[in-house]
Amino acid sequence: MFELTVKSKFSAAHVLCGYPGDCANLHGHTWTVEVKVSGHSLNELGMLVDFKDIKKQLAAIVDQFDHRYLNDLPGFGEAGVNPTAENISYYIFQALAQRVGNIREGVRLKEVSVWESPDAYATYREDF
């Protein structure tokens, strides 16, 4: 099994509604998103997929978060979903999974990790 990892960053603010502490107040992070894709075979160039293809698809999703108030984005605040690292990783996974599958047959999105600080992150993956 081959695995490829790319990272991206965005800056955004959020509020954790109902949280019993400081995170219930407006605050922001420079978020890091780490995406892993996997597959069993390499292409004729010896690559699972081109890094730039994964980065392009990830950027299309992450750009909608950059310099935004996450609670205002569809799928979060009005839907009653707190924009936690866990929920953001799930959202990005759902948005990216099909895009990755369309890049090359046999390549799948393995997991998405979202870091809200250099030492705290959440990961979403679907076990197959």
Side-chain angles (χ1 to χ4, degrees):
M1 178 74 67
F2 296 95
E3 185 175 281
L4 180 145
T5 303
V6 298
K7 289 184 178 182
S8 183
K9 291 184 186 265
F10 67 94
S11 295
H14 68 156
V15 168
L16 297 183
C17 300
Y19 184 81
D22 290 341
C23 292
N25 299 318
L26 178 64
H27 65 285
H29 303 281
T30 298
W31 305 80
T32 300
V33 179
E34 182 179 278
V35 170
K36 293 184 180 190
V37 300
S38 63
H40 291 287
S41 65
L42 303 179
N43 66 15
E44 63 281 353
L45 298 174
M47 296 193 235
L48 180 62
V49 292
D50 194 327
F51 284 111
K52 72 177 182 178
D53 292 335
I54 301 299
K55 288 178 182 180
K56 179 181 177 183
Q57 295 304 320
L58 179 58
I61 296 162
V62 168
D63 285 352
Q64 66 187 306
F65 292 100
D66 195 35
H67 287 85
R68 302 288 302 272
Y69 176 53
L70 299 178
N71 296 69
D72 283 347
L73 295 178
F76 292 104
E78 68 183 31
V81 176
N82 265 331
T84 60
E86 294 90 341
N87 285 328
I88 296 167
S89 65
Y90 175 78
Y91 180 95
I92 293 172
F93 188 99
Q94 297 302 317
L96 188 59
Q98 184 169 349
R99 290 173 177 252
V100 167
N102 290 337
I103 293 172
R104 180 169 176 249
E105 187 177 336
V107 175
R108 69 176 181 88
L109 181 58
K110 183 177 178 182
E111 65 183 40
V112 173
S113 296
V114 174
W115 300 72
E116 68 172 31
S117 73
D119 55 359
Y121 72 97
T123 299
Y124 180 80
R125 75 177 63 84
E126 292 184 353
D127 297 324
F128 292 90

